[in-house]
Amino acid sequence: MKHALYAFTALCVTLAGPASAKTIALVGGSVVDLNGKAPVRDAVVVIEDERIIAIGPRATTSIPAGAKVIPMDGKWLIPGLMNMHVHLALNLPGASRIYNETPDSMVLRSLDNAQKSLRSGVTTIRLTGSDAGVDFTLKRAIDAGLFDGPRIHTAGSSIVATGGHGKTEVNGPAEFARAVREQVKAGATWIKLGISGGISDTHGDIGASPFTDAELTTAIEVAHRNGVKVTGHTGSPIASEVAIDAGIDAFEHGYFLTPPVLRKMKQKGVWYIPTIVVSQSGAKEFYRKIGSPPWYLDRVDSVGKAHIQSLRDAIAAGVSIALGTDQYPWEPNEGTTATIREAEIYVDAGMSPAQALRAATSEPARMLGVDHEVGTLKTGYYADIVALDADPIADISALRTVGFVMKGGKVIRDDWQR
């Protein structure tokens, strides 16, 4: 099956030939500024092929002859949303759980969820744990242009000590070093370590860590020597402190992060991806849909209050936060998508709407190291653009009005077709 997936990827690359240049002008909308400046009103955004080549007021910005003009009067333009904690083949405990799933099934489910995510306005995702190499296959197929989908950054298979929260189980510093190298060789741009237990585990404590200090420090060192960043699934303040000292780059979830740990994260520049939606009431709709067992729902309820307090404390401490959900980016959650609900909860927890919008756009780009090409609307950047009915800087819930999605100059969705 592994060879079949590689052959499929090679076919994708062969079929995706060069495209002829095309020019599009988005005309009449207001371009939101992420840094506190006034929006560019009655704007023109000119796109050639994949990138923005001009942006400014209509009065001073020329529309090239022959450009396709898309009216945006009354709309608000923002960069494509970014979701930094995604499992496209999510398979949680419950009545709908798939057992002994094969890679071909996983890659098809992943493609379906990737396309739904893109249509919801999410143009870049980071995968934080996949199986059988399907994430690498999907990324190559999307990058080759055979399928529409978000830009993918992936951590490959999550690495844990035997019995931990993750898929690739190893023991001892030498095995951890090898596991990290194997994921990097396969194409991982991040490494994910399960440094504590998880809500979905059928055994162990969410606050416990199965790693030895030597295993943890070795894994982080080897990843960094290969130019790859490391994130840690964590619910353990003790494991988090050790990981910070070892140079970890980010934490996922952080159910029980304490103020001292958060201050240390701020000092060391460690990122936080909260995934707050998974432990709050809005996720229950999803858990009911998949038939989650009572013990799982009890765990969610027990973690939720501590989790939201960790988020409030992280915002107050000024920790760098990048939006991530752990639910599918498009998954319904309290009347909107999980991605948008995540941003709304950030405002409820103490962010301004502008901060929450940056957490969903420019901050993830900075965390990924791709802030020179995505995460803002700027000349030379990829034309990853979402249009709304209202100003999200005034009210973050304006994100609920997504009606237009463009990725790399290609219109993916236009609910206002003229």
Short mmCIF file of all heavy atoms in Angstrom, two decimals, residues 2 5-14 16 132-147 152 154 185-188:
data_model
loop_
_atom_site.label_atom_id
_atom_site.label_comp_id
_atom_site.label_asym_id
_atom_site.label_seq_id
_atom_site.Cartn_x
_atom_site.Cartn_y
_atom_site.Cartn_z
N LYS A 2 1.99 1.20 0.72
CA LYS A 2 2.88 2.36 0.77
C LYS A 2 3.37 2.71 -0.62
O LYS A 2 3.40 3.87 -1.02
CB LYS A 2 4.06 2.05 1.71
CG LYS A 2 5.05 3.20 1.85
CD LYS A 2 6.13 2.82 2.84
CE LYS A 2 7.13 3.95 2.99
NZ LYS A 2 8.21 3.61 3.92
N LEU A 5 0.67 4.40 -2.69
CA LEU A 5 0.47 5.80 -2.37
C LEU A 5 1.53 6.67 -3.01
O LEU A 5 1.25 7.75 -3.53
CB LEU A 5 0.48 5.99 -0.85
CG LEU A 5 -0.73 5.43 -0.09
CD1 LEU A 5 -0.51 5.56 1.40
CD2 LEU A 5 -2.00 6.12 -0.50
N TYR A 6 2.78 6.20 -3.02
CA TYR A 6 3.84 6.97 -3.67
C TYR A 6 3.60 7.06 -5.17
O TYR A 6 3.84 8.09 -5.80
CB TYR A 6 5.21 6.35 -3.39
CG TYR A 6 5.75 6.68 -2.03
CD1 TYR A 6 6.18 5.69 -1.16
CD2 TYR A 6 5.84 8.01 -1.59
CE1 TYR A 6 6.66 5.99 0.10
CE2 TYR A 6 6.32 8.32 -0.33
CZ TYR A 6 6.75 7.31 0.50
OH TYR A 6 7.22 7.62 1.74
N ALA A 7 3.13 5.97 -5.77
CA ALA A 7 2.85 5.98 -7.21
C ALA A 7 1.73 6.96 -7.53
O ALA A 7 1.77 7.68 -8.53
CB ALA A 7 2.47 4.58 -7.67
N PHE A 8 0.71 7.01 -6.64
CA PHE A 8 -0.39 7.94 -6.83
C PHE A 8 0.12 9.38 -6.79
O PHE A 8 -0.26 10.22 -7.60
CB PHE A 8 -1.43 7.71 -5.73
CG PHE A 8 -2.54 8.72 -5.70
CD1 PHE A 8 -3.50 8.75 -6.70
CD2 PHE A 8 -2.63 9.64 -4.67
CE1 PHE A 8 -4.52 9.68 -6.66
CE2 PHE A 8 -3.65 10.56 -4.63
CZ PHE A 8 -4.59 10.56 -5.63
N THR A 9 1.03 9.66 -5.85
CA THR A 9 1.59 11.00 -5.74
C THR A 9 2.37 11.37 -6.99
O THR A 9 2.29 12.49 -7.50
CB THR A 9 2.50 11.10 -4.51
OG1 THR A 9 1.75 10.74 -3.37
CG2 THR A 9 3.04 12.51 -4.34
N ALA A 10 3.16 10.43 -7.50
CA ALA A 10 3.93 10.70 -8.72
C ALA A 10 3.01 11.02 -9.89
O ALA A 10 3.29 11.90 -10.70
CB ALA A 10 4.80 9.49 -9.05
N LEU A 11 1.87 10.32 -9.97
CA LEU A 11 0.91 10.59 -11.02
C LEU A 11 0.34 11.99 -10.87
O LEU A 11 0.16 12.72 -11.86
CB LEU A 11 -0.22 9.57 -10.97
CG LEU A 11 -1.37 9.77 -11.98
CD1 LEU A 11 -0.85 9.68 -13.41
CD2 LEU A 11 -2.47 8.76 -11.73
N CYS A 12 0.08 12.40 -9.63
CA CYS A 12 -0.43 13.75 -9.39
C CYS A 12 0.52 14.80 -9.94
O CYS A 12 0.11 15.76 -10.59
CB CYS A 12 -0.63 14.00 -7.88
SG CYS A 12 -1.89 12.98 -7.13
N VAL A 13 1.81 14.63 -9.67
CA VAL A 13 2.80 15.59 -10.12
C VAL A 13 2.86 15.63 -11.64
O VAL A 13 2.96 16.68 -12.26
CB VAL A 13 4.19 15.25 -9.53
CG1 VAL A 13 5.25 16.17 -10.10
CG2 VAL A 13 4.15 15.34 -8.02
N THR A 14 2.75 14.46 -12.28
CA THR A 14 2.82 14.38 -13.74
C THR A 14 1.63 15.07 -14.39
O THR A 14 1.77 15.79 -15.39
CB THR A 14 2.84 12.89 -14.18
OG1 THR A 14 3.98 12.27 -13.59
CG2 THR A 14 2.93 12.79 -15.69
N ALA A 16 -0.26 17.52 -13.23
CA ALA A 16 -0.41 18.94 -12.96
C ALA A 16 0.61 19.73 -13.77
O ALA A 16 1.75 19.88 -13.38
CB ALA A 16 -0.22 19.21 -11.46
N ALA A 132 0.22 6.14 8.69
CA ALA A 132 0.53 5.43 7.44
C ALA A 132 1.03 6.34 6.32
O ALA A 132 0.98 5.97 5.15
CB ALA A 132 -0.70 4.64 6.96
N GLY A 133 1.49 7.53 6.67
CA GLY A 133 2.02 8.42 5.65
C GLY A 133 0.99 9.07 4.76
O GLY A 133 1.34 9.71 3.76
N VAL A 134 -0.30 8.96 5.11
CA VAL A 134 -1.32 9.53 4.23
C VAL A 134 -1.25 11.04 4.18
O VAL A 134 -1.65 11.66 3.17
CB VAL A 134 -2.74 9.07 4.65
CG1 VAL A 134 -2.87 7.56 4.59
CG2 VAL A 134 -3.11 9.58 6.04
N ASP A 135 -0.75 11.68 5.25
CA ASP A 135 -0.62 13.14 5.25
C ASP A 135 0.37 13.61 4.19
O ASP A 135 0.14 14.60 3.50
CB ASP A 135 -0.22 13.65 6.63
CG ASP A 135 0.97 12.92 7.21
OD1 ASP A 135 1.18 11.73 6.91
OD2 ASP A 135 1.71 13.54 8.01
N PHE A 136 1.47 12.88 4.05
CA PHE A 136 2.47 13.25 3.05
C PHE A 136 1.92 13.05 1.63
O PHE A 136 2.16 13.86 0.74
CB PHE A 136 3.75 12.43 3.24
CG PHE A 136 4.34 12.56 4.62
CD1 PHE A 136 4.53 11.44 5.42
CD2 PHE A 136 4.70 13.79 5.12
CE1 PHE A 136 5.06 11.55 6.69
CE2 PHE A 136 5.24 13.92 6.40
CZ PHE A 136 5.43 12.80 7.18
N THR A 137 1.18 11.97 1.44
CA THR A 137 0.57 11.70 0.14
C THR A 137 -0.43 12.80 -0.22
O THR A 137 -0.44 13.33 -1.35
CB THR A 137 -0.15 10.34 0.15
OG1 THR A 137 0.81 9.31 0.37
CG2 THR A 137 -0.87 10.09 -1.17
N LEU A 138 -1.27 13.17 0.74
CA LEU A 138 -2.27 14.20 0.49
C LEU A 138 -1.62 15.54 0.20
O LEU A 138 -2.03 16.26 -0.73
CB LEU A 138 -3.21 14.31 1.70
CG LEU A 138 -4.32 15.35 1.58
CD1 LEU A 138 -5.26 15.01 0.43
CD2 LEU A 138 -5.10 15.45 2.89
N LYS A 139 -0.61 15.89 0.98
CA LYS A 139 0.08 17.17 0.75
C LYS A 139 0.68 17.23 -0.65
O LYS A 139 0.54 18.25 -1.35
CB LYS A 139 1.19 17.35 1.79
CG LYS A 139 2.07 18.59 1.55
CD LYS A 139 3.11 18.75 2.63
CE LYS A 139 4.14 19.81 2.26
NZ LYS A 139 3.55 21.13 1.93
N ARG A 140 1.32 16.14 -1.08
CA ARG A 140 1.92 16.15 -2.42
C ARG A 140 0.86 16.29 -3.51
O ARG A 140 1.05 16.98 -4.51
CB ARG A 140 2.75 14.88 -2.63
CG ARG A 140 4.08 14.89 -1.87
CD ARG A 140 4.96 13.72 -2.29
NE ARG A 140 4.49 12.47 -1.73
CZ ARG A 140 4.93 11.93 -0.61
NH1 ARG A 140 5.86 12.54 0.11
NH2 ARG A 140 4.46 10.77 -0.18
N ALA A 141 -0.29 15.64 -3.31
CA ALA A 141 -1.36 15.72 -4.31
C ALA A 141 -1.94 17.13 -4.40
O ALA A 141 -2.20 17.65 -5.49
CB ALA A 141 -2.45 14.71 -3.98
N ILE A 142 -2.14 17.77 -3.24
CA ILE A 142 -2.67 19.14 -3.24
C ILE A 142 -1.63 20.11 -3.80
O ILE A 142 -1.95 20.98 -4.62
CB ILE A 142 -3.11 19.54 -1.82
CG1 ILE A 142 -4.36 18.75 -1.41
CG2 ILE A 142 -3.39 21.04 -1.74
CD1 ILE A 142 -4.76 18.92 0.04
N ASP A 143 -0.39 19.97 -3.38
CA ASP A 143 0.67 20.86 -3.88
C ASP A 143 0.85 20.73 -5.39
O ASP A 143 1.19 21.70 -6.07
CB ASP A 143 2.00 20.56 -3.18
CG ASP A 143 2.04 21.02 -1.73
OD1 ASP A 143 1.12 21.75 -1.32
OD2 ASP A 143 2.99 20.64 -1.02
N ALA A 144 0.61 19.53 -5.92
CA ALA A 144 0.75 19.31 -7.35
C ALA A 144 -0.42 19.89 -8.14
O ALA A 144 -0.35 20.00 -9.36
CB ALA A 144 0.87 17.82 -7.64
N GLY A 145 -1.49 20.25 -7.46
CA GLY A 145 -2.64 20.86 -8.11
C GLY A 145 -3.69 19.89 -8.59
O GLY A 145 -4.65 20.29 -9.27
N LEU A 146 -3.56 18.62 -8.26
CA LEU A 146 -4.57 17.66 -8.71
C LEU A 146 -5.88 17.85 -7.96
O LEU A 146 -6.96 17.66 -8.52
CB LEU A 146 -4.06 16.24 -8.53
CG LEU A 146 -4.95 15.14 -9.13
CD1 LEU A 146 -5.10 15.31 -10.63
CD2 LEU A 146 -4.42 13.76 -8.81
N PHE A 147 -5.78 18.21 -6.68
CA PHE A 147 -6.97 18.43 -5.85
C PHE A 147 -6.86 19.79 -5.18
O PHE A 147 -5.77 20.26 -4.85
CB PHE A 147 -7.10 17.36 -4.76
CG PHE A 147 -7.21 15.97 -5.27
CD1 PHE A 147 -6.18 15.07 -5.10
CD2 PHE A 147 -8.36 15.54 -5.93
CE1 PHE A 147 -6.26 13.77 -5.57
CE2 PHE A 147 -8.46 14.25 -6.41
CZ PHE A 147 -7.42 13.36 -6.22
N ILE A 152 -0.63 22.56 3.46
CA ILE A 152 -0.46 21.61 4.56
C ILE A 152 0.96 21.66 5.10
O ILE A 152 1.93 21.55 4.36
CB ILE A 152 -0.80 20.18 4.12
CG1 ILE A 152 -2.30 20.04 3.83
CG2 ILE A 152 -0.38 19.17 5.19
CD1 ILE A 152 -2.71 18.67 3.32
N THR A 154 2.89 19.46 8.17
CA THR A 154 2.53 18.25 8.91
C THR A 154 3.64 17.75 9.81
O THR A 154 4.83 17.88 9.50
CB THR A 154 2.09 17.12 7.96
OG1 THR A 154 1.71 15.97 8.73
CG2 THR A 154 3.18 16.75 6.97
N LYS A 185 12.61 12.46 7.47
CA LYS A 185 12.91 11.87 6.16
C LYS A 185 11.65 11.74 5.31
O LYS A 185 11.68 11.96 4.09
CB LYS A 185 13.54 10.48 6.35
CG LYS A 185 13.89 9.77 5.04
CD LYS A 185 14.48 8.40 5.31
CE LYS A 185 14.76 7.65 4.01
NZ LYS A 185 15.33 6.30 4.27
N ALA A 186 10.53 11.43 5.94
CA ALA A 186 9.27 11.26 5.21
C ALA A 186 8.68 12.59 4.76
O ALA A 186 7.81 12.61 3.89
CB ALA A 186 8.26 10.52 6.08
N GLY A 187 9.13 13.70 5.37
CA GLY A 187 8.64 15.01 4.94
C GLY A 187 8.03 15.86 6.04
O GLY A 187 7.45 16.91 5.75
N ALA A 188 8.15 15.43 7.29
CA ALA A 188 7.57 16.21 8.39
C ALA A 188 8.26 17.57 8.51
O ALA A 188 9.49 17.66 8.45
CB ALA A 188 7.68 15.45 9.70
#
